Amino acid sequence: LVPMSLEAAARSLIRRDELQKADVIVALGGDKRCNREKHAANLYKLGLASHIVVSGVQYGYGVHTGEAAKRFVVSQGVPESAVTIIRDTWNTRTEAARLRELMKQNGWKRGIVVTASFHSRRALHTVESAAPEYEFMSSPVPAWEGEWSPERWWSRRGDMWVTVREFLSWINTLAGGLQ
């Protein structure tokens, strides 16, 4: 009973919506392997939106993770003119606030949010709370071997860390979060 409950708790972190055509696909930052950006580019190529937003932060002299993310998305066959960078977003809350501004500026009404599966429910909660006047759908990156998995997560040190951290992050989010 305990293993089933632990697995169910971890599965509750995942939000995967049925996708409809949107105005924009948003690849949230924080993915060093660019799996989020790759998934966003694939959704773009399926015709699910006409624009992609990536985000990032400044690291060191001349290195910006958002620029690197944009270059990667363009390398996947997305026109450069269809990719926008949200800069200096240190967490999902700041990404959500900047995304709301961008949605308003561009007249976008519906977006698809791409992030890691374990982060997908909290990310959508954060984005929807920051921009309740817009509609968002979740399309988490498909899990790959070695990445977090809700199955028996307590038996793998890395998955244990990610799962516990995500539950603690939920507490922070629901309590109003760090600004």
Side-chain angles (χ1 to χ4, degrees), residues 12-13 27 32 44 49-50 54 58 61 83 94 103-104 107-108 110-111 122 136 138 171 174 176:
S12 74
L13 297 172
K32 292 180 251 177
Y44 175 91
S50 59
V54 296
Q58 185 74 41
Y61 178 76
V83 184
T94 58
M103 298 282 287
K104 184 176 182 177
W108 296 333
R110 182 185 290 168
R122 184 169 59 89
F136 295 97
S138 176
I171 292 168
L174 295 174

Side-chain angles (χ1 to χ4, degrees), residues 15-28 34-53 72-73 76-79 82 110-116 124 136-142:
R15 177 173 165 181
R16 186 180 317 277
D17 296 324
E18 186 173 322
L19 300 181
Q20 302 172 20
K21 191 158 176 54
D23 301 303
V24 63
I25 300 163
V26 183
L28 296 180
C34 288
N35 289 321
R36 297 174 189 183
E37 290 80 3
K38 184 175 186 176
H39 186 58
N42 289 337
L43 295 175
Y44 175 91
K45 289 188 266 187
L46 289 173
L48 286 168
S50 59
H51 208 85
I52 294 178
V53 171
F72 181 82
V73 170
Q76 299 297 298
V78 177
R110 182 185 290 168
I112 298 170
V113 178
V114 175
T115 189
L124 260 287
F136 295 97
M137 297 163 279
S138 176
S139 183
V141 174

Side-chain angles (χ1 to χ4, degrees), residues 22-148:
D23 301 303
V24 63
I25 300 163
V26 183
L28 296 180
D31 181 359
K32 292 180 251 177
R33 294 179 182 92
C34 288
N35 289 321
R36 297 174 189 183
E37 290 80 3
K38 184 175 186 176
H39 186 58
N42 289 337
L43 295 175
Y44 175 91
K45 289 188 266 187
L46 289 173
L48 286 168
S50 59
H51 208 85
I52 294 178
V53 171
V54 296
S55 67
V57 295
Q58 185 74 41
Y59 275 111
Y61 178 76
V63 177
H64 196 285
T65 61
E67 292 290 344
K70 180 176 182 174
R71 281 193 304 272
F72 181 82
V73 170
V74 170
S75 80
Q76 299 297 298
V78 177
E80 187 172 351
S81 61
V83 184
T84 299
I85 303 170
I86 299 177
R87 296 181 179 279
D88 302 324
T89 54
W90 293 97
N91 58 39
T92 308
R93 186 172 289 110
T94 58
E95 285 176 306
R98 301 246 171 82
L99 177 60
R100 181 179 187 218
E101 295 167 10
L102 204 54
M103 298 282 287
K104 184 176 182 177
Q105 289 169 6
N106 289 284
W108 296 333
K109 301 294 180 206
R110 182 185 290 168
I112 298 170
V113 178
V114 175
T115 189
S117 58
F118 64 83
H119 181 238
S120 58
R121 186 166 304 278
R122 184 169 59 89
L124 260 287
H125 172 81
T126 302
V127 170
E128 289 171 335
S129 295
E133 65 273 35
Y134 302 107
E135 182 183 349
F136 295 97
M137 297 163 279
S138 176
S139 183
V141 174
W144 49 276
E145 192 171 325
E147 188 190 36
W148 177 85

